[in-house]
Amino acid sequence: MIIRNVKDFNVRHIIECGQCFRWEKKGGGSYDIAAMHRRLNVNCQEGVLTLSCSLGEFEEIWRDYFDLDRDYSAIKAKISSGDPVMARAVDHGWGIRILKQDLWETIVAFIISQNNNISRIKGCMERLCGSFGDPLVGFSGEEEGTLTRDIPRPDVLAGLTVDDLAPVRLGYRAEYLIRASRQIMERGLPRDRKQLLALTGVGPKVASCIELFGMGNMKSFPIDVWVRRLMHEFYGLDEKDGKAMEAFARDRFGSFGGIAQQYLFYYEREKKNVQ
């Protein structure tokens, strides 16, 4: 599937900005990703987007997943107007788009993500999927790489013990994941922030990430150590005052707080590469 004249789309920016963890960098700037119960190779060079799927699958799944119908140029102009910090962040991560991810996968990923780094999260996710997930749709068993199996279903994880998950090396997060899976089996998937926070292992920061990436709430402004650091350094806010940061984001970025957060997060994490 080839789409031409695609704007504001850089695969590295999108995949490596911390919003998803099941990916492998391949040759020629392409990436394999495991998402939406499928495996996909995606590349974008000079505005030409190439995806290893049919037109029907693209229209049914990937157009929405990559948020291709949203005008990111207009959003970038709006949130960076009069804000030199955001202007620099937008310039650095110009190709970021917010992925519209599967809610269950997002819950699993961000329970695992707490107090963790991207490399370790990716490893945990692949060990978990490799041990307990179903084969990804369309995977023939002949493709190279580690992305071969799907996120384990809630009923599968709900039936496991901490000992069962020991080889995945989740640490204390194993208990969180099992208990959250059992709660979802009893209550269904959460529909709002209150229900998210009722899940074991989901605190305010994890809930904000799930709202943004799994529920499509573009106002959500997750605050982690990177965001605290940059909000203090660039905007002069108390590094310990998360509520002040949330209020600042609401006032400054409005309904695009989550998109602004991703530009800021990516810029701060990679700042050493742009100085």
Side-chain angles (χ1 to χ4, degrees):
M1 180 69 203
I2 297 175
I3 307 167
R4 303 186 187 278
N5 301 316
V6 176
K7 298 179 180 179
D8 308 303
F9 194 111
N10 182 288
V11 183
R12 177 175 179 265
H13 295 171
I14 294 169
I15 301 300
E16 296 191 25
C17 70
Q19 61 177 320
C20 64
F21 306 104
R22 300 201 66 206
W23 51 266
E24 287 184 339
K25 189 174 182 179
K26 312 300 281 188
S30 75
Y31 286 73
D32 281 347
I33 63 171
M36 309 303 287
H37 314 297
R38 289 163 168 79
R39 174 166 153 159
L40 179 79
N41 181 267
V42 57
N43 198 355
C44 191
Q45 302 291 335
E46 299 182 352
V48 179
L49 177 61
T50 306
L51 307 103
S52 60
C53 66
S54 66
L55 173 60
E57 182 177 312
F58 169 75
E59 293 292 350
E60 180 182 353
I61 298 171
W62 303 114
R63 176 186 287 278
D64 191 50
Y65 179 80
F66 287 110
D67 204 19
L68 287 173
D69 293 323
R70 193 183 302 272
D71 186 349
Y72 277 77
S73 293
I75 293 169
K76 289 187 287 187
K78 182 172 184 177
I79 64 177
S80 61
S81 177
D83 187 333
V85 173
M86 182 57 71
R88 291 197 298 274
V90 163
D91 184 62
H92 179 61
W94 59 268
I96 290 174
R97 286 177 173 265
I98 303 298
L99 299 173
K100 295 185 178 180
Q101 302 180 56
D102 177 79
L103 177 55
W104 168 241
E105 180 168 348
T106 311
I107 291 170
V108 172
F110 283 94
I111 286 177
I112 291 173
S113 77
Q114 52 195 301
N115 298 314
N116 226 338
N117 61 49
I118 289 178
S119 178
R120 289 183 61 194
I121 298 165
K122 289 182 70 202
C124 289
M125 292 285 284
E126 290 319 306
R127 288 190 293 273
L128 180 70
C129 296
S131 297
F132 304 105
D134 296 326
L136 287 167
V137 171
F139 179 71
S140 68
E142 298 177 357
E143 295 92 335
E144 295 180 354
T146 60
L147 304 175
T148 63
R149 292 189 170 267
D150 203 356
I151 292 291
R153 301 187 311 272
D155 62 305
V156 172
L157 291 183
L160 299 179
T161 67
V162 170
D163 287 342
D164 292 329
L165 286 174
V168 182
R169 302 200 292 276
L170 296 175
Y172 65 87
R173 304 169 196 85
E175 179 67 24
Y176 290 172
L177 200 54
I178 292 168
R179 292 178 62 185
S181 300
R182 291 172 181 171
Q183 290 162 347
I184 285 172
M185 290 302 298
E186 294 174 0
R187 311 168 192 166
L189 286 167
R191 295 183 296 276
D192 53 35
R193 184 177 180 85
K194 181 179 179 180
Q195 292 181 2
L196 277 172
L197 290 168
L199 292 176
T200 300
V202 176
K205 185 262 180 179
V206 170
S208 293
C209 290
I210 296 169
E211 281 189 289
L212 177 58
F213 305 126
M215 292 179 162
N217 180 2
M218 295 297 179
K219 295 181 181 179
S220 182
F221 191 81
I223 298 173
D224 68 352
V225 62
W226 295 100
V227 175
R228 288 180 183 276
R229 187 180 302 163
L230 72 88
M231 295 294 276
H232 171 70
E233 179 181 354
F234 293 130
Y235 295 113
L237 298 175
D238 185 342
E239 203 164 340
K240 298 179 180 179
D241 195 345
K243 290 189 179 298
M245 294 177 187
E246 289 174 353
F248 179 92
R250 284 194 300 270
D251 292 341
R252 179 67 65 93
F253 308 125
S255 59
F256 303 121
I259 298 174
Q261 189 267 5
Q262 282 291 275
Y263 291 126
L264 291 169
F265 174 86
Y266 188 69
Y267 178 67
E268 175 65 16
R269 203 184 67 191
E270 297 208 337
K271 194 168 55 179
K272 63 181 182 297
N273 297 325
V274 295
Q275 292 178 334

